[in-house]
Amino acid sequence: MSIFSDNIRFLRVKKDLSQQGFADKLNLSRDRYSKYENGRSEPSYDVLINISKHFHISIDLLLTVDIKKYPLDEILQLPDNRIVLPIIVDQSGNNSIEIIPQKASMGYLSGYSDPEYIENLQRISLPFLTNGKYRAFPAQGDSMPPFKDGSYIIGKYVENIEDLKPNKSYIFITLDDGITYKRFKAKKENLITVSADNEFYDPYDIDLKNIVEIWQYASGIFPEEFEADYPQNYHVKDLFLELRKDIKNLENKMFK
């Protein structure tokens, strides 16, 4: 038996179809279809595509995810159905927010499409965050004050690149950089331009092909010592920022 065999049996029964009835929809004999459910044979690409289209579930999910674990009417699916994002609620009906561990920037790239990885993450619930899928990501570096190492940024999943709004903050999950928190500036043909709130860093472009997920900023969790530590840290950074601006002005004068 395989995940695929279990999935098509589960989906067929959920649709209240007999093996013969579903085989007829696929233009197959009952005997041939039953071999797929029993794991004795593997379907051709054409049959696999037809099954995927019939249930409106991607081939990737049919082959790799135990669909029984996820209530199909309550899951959020990414574009092309390559992964499911179950919206889980606690006993009070509040959304459960998965927490990505600290120092997991690249590790998340290996786990974001693995339902077992997501299932094993710790969770919190915040009653004021509703109507969407939320996840908490660790802040890294100093590019987006007031967030710093030890902070968590809670994002709301963005389903469509066209929903990005200029000057709003987002968590971009990219193949090159893992988890990055930046402000969206503009969209070009195959690129988006993002910038840090810390002006020490220049804006830069991200290739759309490099983006695997986008989450819009929804809230933040700060370490206890944040208030006492913040002014001192950023006073030093301001000095570097001013120095950097002076260097740029000097370079401009030299090359005019």
Side-chain angles (χ1 to χ4, degrees):
M1 299 298 290
S2 65
I3 290 177
F4 173 72
S5 300
D6 289 342
N7 281 341
I8 60 174
R9 178 184 291 105
F10 170 75
L11 292 168
R12 175 182 61 78
V13 172
K14 189 176 179 65
K15 292 284 188 179
D16 198 25
L17 290 169
S18 65
Q19 283 192 347
Q20 184 64 63
F22 190 36
D24 290 342
K25 290 180 180 295
L26 298 174
N27 293 318
L28 302 173
S29 67
R30 180 184 177 281
D31 180 63
R32 183 179 173 188
Y33 172 76
S34 67
K35 290 179 179 178
Y36 302 151
E37 278 198 7
N38 295 329
R40 290 182 293 162
S41 180
E42 295 181 353
S44 65
Y45 291 137
D46 289 343
V47 172
L48 199 54
I49 290 170
N50 288 338
I51 293 174
S52 172
K53 287 182 177 180
H54 180 82
F55 291 124
H56 303 289
I57 294 178
S58 73
I59 293 173
D60 183 37
L61 293 183
L62 286 173
L63 297 178
T64 63
V65 174
D66 185 356
I67 293 173
K68 296 191 297 295
K69 293 183 178 180
Y70 303 100
L72 297 181
D73 297 333
E74 299 176 13
I75 62 174
L76 176 65
Q77 298 177 346
L78 282 91
D80 72 19
N81 277 344
R82 56 190 168 85
I83 180 177
V84 292
L85 289 175
I87 300 177
I88 302 171
V89 297
D90 62 17
Q91 294 180 348
S92 301
N94 300 314
N95 279 10
S96 287
I97 302 167
E98 296 102 357
I99 302 174
I100 308 304
Q102 289 285 347
K103 299 181 181 179
S105 179
M106 300 311 293
Y108 183 69
L109 284 178
S110 302
Y112 79 94
S113 60
D114 182 355
E116 290 188 8
Y117 168 85
I118 300 301
E119 282 181 356
N120 291 325
L121 293 174
Q122 292 184 341
R123 291 181 170 84
I124 59 171
S125 294
L126 297 175
F128 56 87
L129 295 180
T130 58
N131 301 323
K133 175 64 185 175
Y134 297 88
R135 190 163 287 169
F137 297 88
Q140 297 176 324
D142 59 0
S143 66
M144 294 294 284
F147 291 100
K148 63 172 186 176
D149 291 350
S151 304
Y152 277 91
I153 305 165
I154 300 176
K156 179 180 181 181
Y157 178 68
V158 177
E159 296 187 56
N160 195 319
I161 192 75
E162 303 300 331
D163 293 334
L164 298 183
K165 300 176 182 177
N167 296 318
K168 294 292 184 181
S169 298
Y170 296 88
I171 302 149
F172 297 96
I173 314 300
T174 67
L175 296 174
D176 289 341
D177 299 324
I179 302 169
T180 58
Y181 178 53
K182 293 292 181 283
R183 196 171 295 276
F184 171 70
K185 304 305 290 185
K187 181 179 179 294
K188 304 172 186 177
E189 259 189 57
N190 299 312
L191 303 168
I192 60 170
T193 302
V194 301
S195 68
D197 279 356
N198 185 343
E199 295 181 7
F200 188 84
Y201 300 95
D202 291 326
Y204 65 95
D205 292 334
I206 302 177
D207 192 317
L208 294 182
K209 294 179 180 177
N210 199 26
I211 299 174
V212 295
E213 287 182 357
I214 302 175
W215 302 74
Q216 183 174 0
Y217 170 76
S219 187
I221 304 172
F222 300 96
E224 293 181 2
E225 70 275 12
F226 170 76
E227 290 185 0
D229 193 40
Y230 172 80
Q232 181 179 357
N233 280 354
Y234 281 90
H235 175 67
V236 175
K237 292 185 180 70
D238 287 342
L239 294 178
F240 279 105
L241 178 59
E242 291 301 321
L243 178 61
R244 187 170 184 268
K245 287 181 178 178
D246 290 341
I247 293 173
K248 276 191 172 182
N249 290 335
L250 182 60
E251 288 176 344
N252 290 336
K253 290 179 181 178
M254 290 177 61
F255 291 101
K256 279 185 178 180

